Amino acid sequence: MGAIHRWADLTGPELANVAAGDPVAVWPLAAVEQHGAHLPLGTDTIIGEGLLAAACDTLRETPLPDARDLLILPTLAPAASLEHSAYPGTLSLAAEQVIATLESVGADLARAGIRRLVLFNSHGGNKAVMDLAALKLRAAHAMLVVKASYFRFAPAAEALPAAELAHGVHGGALETALMAHLAPEHIRTAHVADARPLGRELADAGRTIAPEGEAAFAWMAQDLHPSGVAGDATLADAERGAALCAHIAERTAAVLRDAAAFDLSRLRSMP
């Protein structure tokens, strides 16, 4: 049965011993940025780390295949949050800095003998930089790099109204419910509100383009709603958050198991 390790807790020789067993490394990618008046700046970090912890609880019951270990890297935050830069409290690295960081640390992983990496992302602004950095790591190191953003997982049945899932992209019901389950003490309940976002208005008007979706336009948070929030946080409660967390944890654990079972010989060199 494999073990779950935190990278920073190991000594160098211990890490080398774990790496020799072909483990799965998982790197949480998060952010420090505004989430309106009701959620803290660390929301994405709290949610990402909480979901990963719940996934690890699942893996303790049903471990990774082939008795592989799981290595949890320190969370990357701040990261790419340009879209929230108009609001106080947001800390953001330039996209180029984030890509360079992912490449540099990925190269360190490769030197340590790691060939299976899951980027577990809890912030939408990281998607583009994660995509490019993952491809660069694959090209440079023949490494399996899985890009897993929890908010892109198929939702649990009837988890939230479809319109809220589609358009509540920041500080809405999804994030607020998860925070109500994972860290309710951080919610400023007096400021929970329905911030009807631009995406919802465009969809209701039958428009083709939207902030997210098949024909998405680049947006800054203030474009979606003056508050910096996009979505109906009044739909959130701890019970709904617990159900969402359990579902996402199961999906995350499944991703990690599949990364462990992946046949690395399918990552071919040039013919």
Side-chain angles (χ1 to χ4, degrees):
M1 177 176 174
I4 298 174
H5 308 276
R6 292 194 174 275
W7 186 284
D9 291 343
L10 299 175
T11 66
E14 289 169 345
L15 187 280
N17 184 60
V18 172
D22 192 17
V24 175
V26 57
W27 192 359
L29 311 181
V32 178
E33 63 182 27
Q34 72 85 23
H35 277 75
H38 68 297
L39 293 178
L41 299 168
T43 290
D44 289 341
T45 301
I46 293 168
I47 289 175
E49 292 180 344
L51 292 173
L52 185 55
C56 287
D57 289 341
T58 299
L59 289 176
R60 290 184 180 95
E61 298 177 6
T62 311
L64 299 181
D66 302 320
R68 297 192 196 281
D69 288 353
L70 180 69
L71 281 166
I72 303 174
L73 276 75
T75 301
L76 178 62
S81 294
L82 174 62
E83 69 274 23
H84 298 286
S85 57
Y87 295 85
T90 297
L91 304 178
S92 181
L93 301 178
E96 295 80 4
Q97 291 176 299
V98 181
I99 293 169
T101 299
L102 294 173
E103 284 188 82
S104 180
V105 173
D108 290 336
L109 297 180
R111 279 191 291 273
I114 304 300
R115 291 198 63 202
R116 304 171 190 270
L117 173 62
V118 175
L119 301 175
F120 182 65
N121 179 39
S122 56
H123 165 53
N126 289 335
K127 291 183 295 184
V129 294
M130 179 175 67
D131 283 346
L132 184 53
L135 180 57
K136 290 188 171 189
L137 289 174
R138 163 63 189 91
H141 306 292
M143 177 186 290
L144 172 69
V145 186
V146 180
K147 303 165 291 181
S149 295
Y150 86 83
F151 44 84
R152 286 190 163 182
F153 292 172
E158 300 181 357
L160 290 168
E164 179 64 18
L165 284 170
H167 307 294
V169 298
H170 190 70
L174 175 61
E175 289 187 312
T176 305
L178 287 170
M179 287 293 287
H181 170 62
L182 295 168
E185 68 278 10
H186 290 299
I187 299 177
R188 282 61 165 177
T189 55
H191 296 287
V192 172
D194 179 5
R196 183 178 175 84
L198 174 61
R200 181 73 180 270
E201 294 179 18
L202 292 172
D204 289 349
R207 300 292 185 247
T208 302
I209 64 170
E212 301 290 335
E214 60 186 10
F217 57 84
W219 52 265
M220 299 291 284
Q222 63 268 28
D223 301 335
L224 305 187
H225 193 276
S227 69
V229 173
D232 187 358
T234 67
L235 297 174
D237 56 46
E239 181 179 4
R240 179 166 273 169
L244 287 163
C245 182
H247 174 76
I248 295 167
E250 289 286 351
R251 298 301 303 151
T252 304
V255 168
L256 295 170
R257 292 191 199 99
D258 284 351
F262 188 86
D263 180 2
L264 293 179
S265 70
R266 301 305 298 267
L267 302 178
R268 298 183 176 92
S269 58
M270 287 294 291

